[in-house]
Amino acid sequence: MCNISLIYILLDKEGGNILNELGDIVIKAQNGDSNCMFNIIEKFLPLIKKYSRKLNYDGADSDLMVSIIDIVKSIPVNKSLRFEEDKYIVGYINTSIKHKYIHLLSINISILKAEGELYLDTFWNYEYKDNENAIDDHILLLNILDKLPLHQKNIIKEIFFYNFSEVELSEKLNVSRQAINRTKNRALKNLRKFAIE
């Protein structure tokens, strides 16, 4: 049975080497010992929870746990002398989890942006006949739009309500496409913030 105590993960106070048992546990986990894998995951659970809270979506903790399994399987313990010291293994896992967090965060931001754009586009083109809730939602959207600065409000209306592309709008307003995109993104961020309030 594998058991990692906290001493294997922390450096001693003199800055010396950690006990080299973490490397052995990683090798066992790579060879299919589920108890060793579980114990490694358990010791990195605070880090997983930290990044899961920052990601703020359902299943973030599961995604990070799966990534730890992949990370542990990919640690080149036998191929590099550097990994003879456990502090390098801990550093490798910490850095890899951080990189996975950044990757998941960028994916999540892309999804949120796409959903926000899709929602506004779908919402505006929705048929309001015989649907009181849709009319109420439409009024709410218009009230939220009124909270935006005039320039942001005009950009959102042109892109989502009148179906202008960013390029067409940049030519119409005689500004760069990047300026239109930045204004649109700021406006969507403000709309999300206003919708939550």
Side-chain angles (χ1 to χ4, degrees), residues 47-69:
L47 191 62
I48 291 171
K49 286 182 180 180
K50 170 188 166 184
Y51 288 130
S52 177
R53 279 191 306 274
K54 286 184 172 187
L55 286 169
N56 195 26
Y57 71 86
D58 292 335
D61 54 344
S62 298
D63 290 343
L64 291 170
M65 282 185 204
V66 168
S67 71
I68 278 200
I69 293 170

PDB file of all heavy atoms in Angstrom, residues 47-69:
ATOM      1  N   LEU A  47      -4.346  22.212  -3.997  1.00  0.00           N
ATOM      2  CA  LEU A  47      -4.012  22.943  -5.214  1.00  0.00           C
ATOM      3  C   LEU A  47      -5.133  22.795  -6.251  1.00  0.00           C
ATOM      4  O   LEU A  47      -5.511  23.761  -6.920  1.00  0.00           O
ATOM      5  CB  LEU A  47      -2.685  22.439  -5.785  1.00  0.00           C
ATOM      6  CG  LEU A  47      -2.050  23.254  -6.891  1.00  0.00           C
ATOM      7  CD1 LEU A  47      -1.715  24.658  -6.410  1.00  0.00           C
ATOM      8  CD2 LEU A  47      -0.798  22.562  -7.396  1.00  0.00           C
ATOM      9  N   ILE A  48      -5.669  21.595  -6.354  1.00  0.00           N
ATOM     10  CA  ILE A  48      -6.790  21.346  -7.275  1.00  0.00           C
ATOM     11  C   ILE A  48      -7.990  22.201  -6.879  1.00  0.00           C
ATOM     12  O   ILE A  48      -8.630  22.826  -7.727  1.00  0.00           O
ATOM     13  CB  ILE A  48      -7.168  19.848  -7.283  1.00  0.00           C
ATOM     14  CG1 ILE A  48      -6.059  19.027  -7.937  1.00  0.00           C
ATOM     15  CG2 ILE A  48      -8.490  19.614  -7.983  1.00  0.00           C
ATOM     16  CD1 ILE A  48      -6.239  17.527  -7.799  1.00  0.00           C
ATOM     17  N   LYS A  49      -8.292  22.238  -5.585  1.00  0.00           N
ATOM     18  CA  LYS A  49      -9.441  23.024  -5.118  1.00  0.00           C
ATOM     19  C   LYS A  49      -9.231  24.515  -5.377  1.00  0.00           C
ATOM     20  O   LYS A  49     -10.156  25.226  -5.753  1.00  0.00           O
ATOM     21  CB  LYS A  49      -9.684  22.767  -3.635  1.00  0.00           C
ATOM     22  CG  LYS A  49     -10.292  21.414  -3.361  1.00  0.00           C
ATOM     23  CD  LYS A  49     -10.559  21.214  -1.883  1.00  0.00           C
ATOM     24  CE  LYS A  49     -11.176  19.841  -1.641  1.00  0.00           C
ATOM     25  NZ  LYS A  49     -11.439  19.620  -0.212  1.00  0.00           N
ATOM     26  N   LYS A  50      -8.002  24.983  -5.175  1.00  0.00           N
ATOM     27  CA  LYS A  50      -7.695  26.401  -5.415  1.00  0.00           C
ATOM     28  C   LYS A  50      -7.981  26.772  -6.864  1.00  0.00           C
ATOM     29  O   LYS A  50      -8.692  27.743  -7.153  1.00  0.00           O
ATOM     30  CB  LYS A  50      -6.223  26.658  -5.090  1.00  0.00           C
ATOM     31  CG  LYS A  50      -5.716  28.022  -5.507  1.00  0.00           C
ATOM     32  CD  LYS A  50      -4.214  28.112  -5.323  1.00  0.00           C
ATOM     33  CE  LYS A  50      -3.624  29.301  -6.024  1.00  0.00           C
ATOM     34  NZ  LYS A  50      -2.169  29.340  -5.939  1.00  0.00           N
ATOM     35  N   TYR A  51      -7.434  25.998  -7.800  1.00  0.00           N
ATOM     36  CA  TYR A  51      -7.639  26.307  -9.211  1.00  0.00           C
ATOM     37  C   TYR A  51      -9.070  26.034  -9.652  1.00  0.00           C
ATOM     38  O   TYR A  51      -9.594  26.717 -10.524  1.00  0.00           O
ATOM     39  CB  TYR A  51      -6.638  25.548 -10.078  1.00  0.00           C
ATOM     40  CG  TYR A  51      -5.232  26.092  -9.972  1.00  0.00           C
ATOM     41  CD1 TYR A  51      -4.152  25.261  -9.718  1.00  0.00           C
ATOM     42  CD2 TYR A  51      -4.980  27.448 -10.118  1.00  0.00           C
ATOM     43  CE1 TYR A  51      -2.859  25.770  -9.622  1.00  0.00           C
ATOM     44  CE2 TYR A  51      -3.699  27.966 -10.016  1.00  0.00           C
ATOM     45  CZ  TYR A  51      -2.643  27.125  -9.769  1.00  0.00           C
ATOM     46  OH  TYR A  51      -1.375  27.630  -9.673  1.00  0.00           O
ATOM     47  N   SER A  52      -9.716  25.061  -9.034  1.00  0.00           N
ATOM     48  CA  SER A  52     -11.111  24.774  -9.359  1.00  0.00           C
ATOM     49  C   SER A  52     -12.004  25.953  -8.982  1.00  0.00           C
ATOM     50  O   SER A  52     -12.905  26.339  -9.737  1.00  0.00           O
ATOM     51  CB  SER A  52     -11.544  23.508  -8.624  1.00  0.00           C
ATOM     52  OG  SER A  52     -12.882  23.237  -8.858  1.00  0.00           O
ATOM     53  N   ARG A  53     -11.746  26.535  -7.806  1.00  0.00           N
ATOM     54  CA  ARG A  53     -12.517  27.727  -7.398  1.00  0.00           C
ATOM     55  C   ARG A  53     -12.281  28.883  -8.359  1.00  0.00           C
ATOM     56  O   ARG A  53     -13.197  29.624  -8.703  1.00  0.00           O
ATOM     57  CB  ARG A  53     -12.133  28.140  -5.982  1.00  0.00           C
ATOM     58  CG  ARG A  53     -12.801  27.363  -4.890  1.00  0.00           C
ATOM     59  CD  ARG A  53     -12.586  27.993  -3.516  1.00  0.00           C
ATOM     60  NE  ARG A  53     -11.191  28.215  -3.181  1.00  0.00           N
ATOM     61  CZ  ARG A  53     -10.384  27.315  -2.624  1.00  0.00           C
ATOM     62  NH1 ARG A  53     -10.843  26.108  -2.362  1.00  0.00           N
ATOM     63  NH2 ARG A  53      -9.136  27.611  -2.333  1.00  0.00           N
ATOM     64  N   LYS A  54     -11.055  29.051  -8.806  1.00  0.00           N
ATOM     65  CA  LYS A  54     -10.748  30.137  -9.737  1.00  0.00           C
ATOM     66  C   LYS A  54     -11.417  29.916 -11.090  1.00  0.00           C
ATOM     67  O   LYS A  54     -11.832  30.872 -11.733  1.00  0.00           O
ATOM     68  CB  LYS A  54      -9.235  30.266  -9.921  1.00  0.00           C
ATOM     69  CG  LYS A  54      -8.526  30.886  -8.751  1.00  0.00           C
ATOM     70  CD  LYS A  54      -7.051  31.051  -9.065  1.00  0.00           C
ATOM     71  CE  LYS A  54      -6.332  31.848  -8.017  1.00  0.00           C
ATOM     72  NZ  LYS A  54      -4.948  32.142  -8.397  1.00  0.00           N
ATOM     73  N   LEU A  55     -11.495  28.647 -11.529  1.00  0.00           N
ATOM     74  CA  LEU A  55     -12.130  28.363 -12.814  1.00  0.00           C
ATOM     75  C   LEU A  55     -13.633  28.587 -12.742  1.00  0.00           C
ATOM     76  O   LEU A  55     -14.262  28.978 -13.716  1.00  0.00           O
ATOM     77  CB  LEU A  55     -11.826  26.933 -13.262  1.00  0.00           C
ATOM     78  CG  LEU A  55     -10.413  26.703 -13.758  1.00  0.00           C
ATOM     79  CD1 LEU A  55     -10.121  25.211 -13.914  1.00  0.00           C
ATOM     80  CD2 LEU A  55     -10.182  27.407 -15.074  1.00  0.00           C
ATOM     81  N   ASN A  56     -14.214  28.272 -11.604  1.00  0.00           N
ATOM     82  CA  ASN A  56     -15.617  28.573 -11.340  1.00  0.00           C
ATOM     83  C   ASN A  56     -16.582  27.983 -12.376  1.00  0.00           C
ATOM     84  O   ASN A  56     -17.433  28.681 -12.908  1.00  0.00           O
ATOM     85  CB  ASN A  56     -15.809  30.083 -11.222  1.00  0.00           C
ATOM     86  CG  ASN A  56     -17.142  30.442 -10.589  1.00  0.00           C
ATOM     87  OD1 ASN A  56     -17.699  29.664  -9.832  1.00  0.00           O
ATOM     88  ND2 ASN A  56     -17.648  31.615 -10.913  1.00  0.00           N
ATOM     89  N   TYR A  57     -16.412  26.718 -12.700  1.00  0.00           N
ATOM     90  CA  TYR A  57     -17.418  26.025 -13.508  1.00  0.00           C
ATOM     91  C   TYR A  57     -17.558  24.598 -12.994  1.00  0.00           C
ATOM     92  O   TYR A  57     -16.651  24.057 -12.370  1.00  0.00           O
ATOM     93  CB  TYR A  57     -17.086  26.056 -15.009  1.00  0.00           C
ATOM     94  CG  TYR A  57     -15.916  25.213 -15.454  1.00  0.00           C
ATOM     95  CD1 TYR A  57     -16.071  23.870 -15.777  1.00  0.00           C
ATOM     96  CD2 TYR A  57     -14.652  25.770 -15.594  1.00  0.00           C
ATOM     97  CE1 TYR A  57     -14.999  23.105 -16.202  1.00  0.00           C
ATOM     98  CE2 TYR A  57     -13.580  25.015 -16.021  1.00  0.00           C
ATOM     99  CZ  TYR A  57     -13.761  23.683 -16.323  1.00  0.00           C
ATOM    100  OH  TYR A  57     -12.701  22.919 -16.745  1.00  0.00           O
ATOM    101  N   ASP A  58     -18.732  24.015 -13.204  1.00  0.00           N
ATOM    102  CA  ASP A  58     -18.976  22.649 -12.752  1.00  0.00           C
ATOM    103  C   ASP A  58     -18.039  21.695 -13.468  1.00  0.00           C
ATOM    104  O   ASP A  58     -17.898  21.751 -14.685  1.00  0.00           O
ATOM    105  CB  ASP A  58     -20.427  22.242 -13.028  1.00  0.00           C
ATOM    106  CG  ASP A  58     -21.420  23.015 -12.186  1.00  0.00           C
ATOM    107  OD1 ASP A  58     -21.019  23.478 -11.099  1.00  0.00           O
ATOM    108  OD2 ASP A  58     -22.576  23.158 -12.601  1.00  0.00           O
ATOM    109  N   GLY A  59     -17.409  20.825 -12.705  1.00  0.00           N
ATOM    110  CA  GLY A  59     -16.522  19.838 -13.294  1.00  0.00           C
ATOM    111  C   GLY A  59     -15.081  20.276 -13.399  1.00  0.00           C
ATOM    112  O   GLY A  59     -14.246  19.522 -13.895  1.00  0.00           O
ATOM    113  N   ALA A  60     -14.760  21.484 -12.936  1.00  0.00           N
ATOM    114  CA  ALA A  60     -13.374  21.955 -13.012  1.00  0.00           C
ATOM    115  C   ALA A  60     -12.466  21.067 -12.166  1.00  0.00           C
ATOM    116  O   ALA A  60     -11.358  20.726 -12.595  1.00  0.00           O
ATOM    117  CB  ALA A  60     -13.273  23.401 -12.549  1.00  0.00           C
ATOM    118  N   ASP A  61     -12.956  20.660 -10.983  1.00  0.00           N
ATOM    119  CA  ASP A  61     -12.133  19.800 -10.132  1.00  0.00           C
ATOM    120  C   ASP A  61     -11.870  18.457 -10.794  1.00  0.00           C
ATOM    121  O   ASP A  61     -10.762  17.928 -10.739  1.00  0.00           O
ATOM    122  CB  ASP A  61     -12.759  19.631  -8.751  1.00  0.00           C
ATOM    123  CG  ASP A  61     -14.199  19.150  -8.796  1.00  0.00           C
ATOM    124  OD1 ASP A  61     -14.830  19.227  -9.868  1.00  0.00           O
ATOM    125  OD2 ASP A  61     -14.708  18.702  -7.744  1.00  0.00           O
ATOM    126  N   SER A  62     -12.869  17.912 -11.470  1.00  0.00           N
ATOM    127  CA  SER A  62     -12.685  16.640 -12.184  1.00  0.00           C
ATOM    128  C   SER A  62     -11.673  16.789 -13.316  1.00  0.00           C
ATOM    129  O   SER A  62     -10.815  15.923 -13.508  1.00  0.00           O
ATOM    130  CB  SER A  62     -14.007  16.151 -12.759  1.00  0.00           C
ATOM    131  OG  SER A  62     -14.932  15.920 -11.731  1.00  0.00           O
ATOM    132  N   ASP A  63     -11.780  17.884 -14.052  1.00  0.00           N
ATOM    133  CA  ASP A  63     -10.830  18.121 -15.146  1.00  0.00           C
ATOM    134  C   ASP A  63      -9.404  18.200 -14.621  1.00  0.00           C
ATOM    135  O   ASP A  63      -8.473  17.654 -15.225  1.00  0.00           O
ATOM    136  CB  ASP A  63     -11.176  19.421 -15.886  1.00  0.00           C
ATOM    137  CG  ASP A  63     -12.448  19.320 -16.706  1.00  0.00           C
ATOM    138  OD1 ASP A  63     -12.895  18.182 -16.977  1.00  0.00           O
ATOM    139  OD2 ASP A  63     -12.988  20.377 -17.079  1.00  0.00           O
ATOM    140  N   LEU A  64      -9.228  18.865 -13.486  1.00  0.00           N
ATOM    141  CA  LEU A  64      -7.893  19.004 -12.916  1.00  0.00           C
ATOM    142  C   LEU A  64      -7.373  17.682 -12.349  1.00  0.00           C
ATOM    143  O   LEU A  64      -6.186  17.379 -12.451  1.00  0.00           O
ATOM    144  CB  LEU A  64      -7.878  20.100 -11.844  1.00  0.00           C
ATOM    145  CG  LEU A  64      -8.054  21.520 -12.384  1.00  0.00           C
ATOM    146  CD1 LEU A  64      -8.282  22.503 -11.248  1.00  0.00           C
ATOM    147  CD2 LEU A  64      -6.865  21.938 -13.222  1.00  0.00           C
ATOM    148  N   MET A  65      -8.279  16.878 -11.777  1.00  0.00           N
ATOM    149  CA  MET A  65      -7.857  15.557 -11.268  1.00  0.00           C
ATOM    150  C   MET A  65      -7.417  14.649 -12.407  1.00  0.00           C
ATOM    151  O   MET A  65      -6.418  13.931 -12.297  1.00  0.00           O
ATOM    152  CB  MET A  65      -8.979  14.906 -10.465  1.00  0.00           C
ATOM    153  CG  MET A  65      -9.124  15.460  -9.086  1.00  0.00           C
ATOM    154  SD  MET A  65     -10.366  14.538  -8.184  1.00  0.00           S
ATOM    155  CE  MET A  65     -10.858  15.750  -6.994  1.00  0.00           C
ATOM    156  N   VAL A  66      -8.153  14.678 -13.489  1.00  0.00           N
ATOM    157  CA  VAL A  66      -7.767  13.887 -14.661  1.00  0.00           C
ATOM    158  C   VAL A  66      -6.416  14.359 -15.185  1.00  0.00           C
ATOM    159  O   VAL A  66      -5.566  13.553 -15.572  1.00  0.00           O
ATOM    160  CB  VAL A  66      -8.857  13.977 -15.761  1.00  0.00           C
ATOM    161  CG1 VAL A  66      -8.367  13.416 -17.072  1.00  0.00           C
ATOM    162  CG2 VAL A  66     -10.123  13.264 -15.314  1.00  0.00           C
ATOM    163  N   SER A  67      -6.207  15.670 -15.151  1.00  0.00           N
ATOM    164  CA  SER A  67      -4.917  16.185 -15.628  1.00  0.00           C
ATOM    165  C   SER A  67      -3.779  15.751 -14.714  1.00  0.00           C
ATOM    166  O   SER A  67      -2.669  15.501 -15.190  1.00  0.00           O
ATOM    167  CB  SER A  67      -4.953  17.699 -15.780  1.00  0.00           C
ATOM    168  OG  SER A  67      -4.977  18.334 -14.528  1.00  0.00           O
ATOM    169  N   ILE A  68      -4.036  15.636 -13.401  1.00  0.00           N
ATOM    170  CA  ILE A  68      -2.978  15.150 -12.495  1.00  0.00           C
ATOM    171  C   ILE A  68      -2.606  13.724 -12.853  1.00  0.00           C
ATOM    172  O   ILE A  68      -1.426  13.368 -12.839  1.00  0.00           O
ATOM    173  CB  ILE A  68      -3.420  15.245 -11.019  1.00  0.00           C
ATOM    174  CG1 ILE A  68      -3.207  16.646 -10.520  1.00  0.00           C
ATOM    175  CG2 ILE A  68      -2.659  14.281 -10.161  1.00  0.00           C
ATOM    176  CD1 ILE A  68      -3.145  16.802  -9.035  1.00  0.00           C
ATOM    177  N   ILE A  69      -3.595  12.915 -13.183  1.00  0.00           N
ATOM    178  CA  ILE A  69      -3.299  11.527 -13.579  1.00  0.00           C
ATOM    179  C   ILE A  69      -2.405  11.525 -14.814  1.00  0.00           C
ATOM    180  O   ILE A  69      -1.397  10.813 -14.862  1.00  0.00           O
ATOM    181  CB  ILE A  69      -4.609  10.751 -13.823  1.00  0.00           C
ATOM    182  CG1 ILE A  69      -5.358  10.585 -12.500  1.00  0.00           C
ATOM    183  CG2 ILE A  69      -4.322   9.394 -14.463  1.00  0.00           C
ATOM    184  CD1 ILE A  69      -6.772  10.048 -12.630  1.00  0.00           C
TER     185      ILE A  69
END
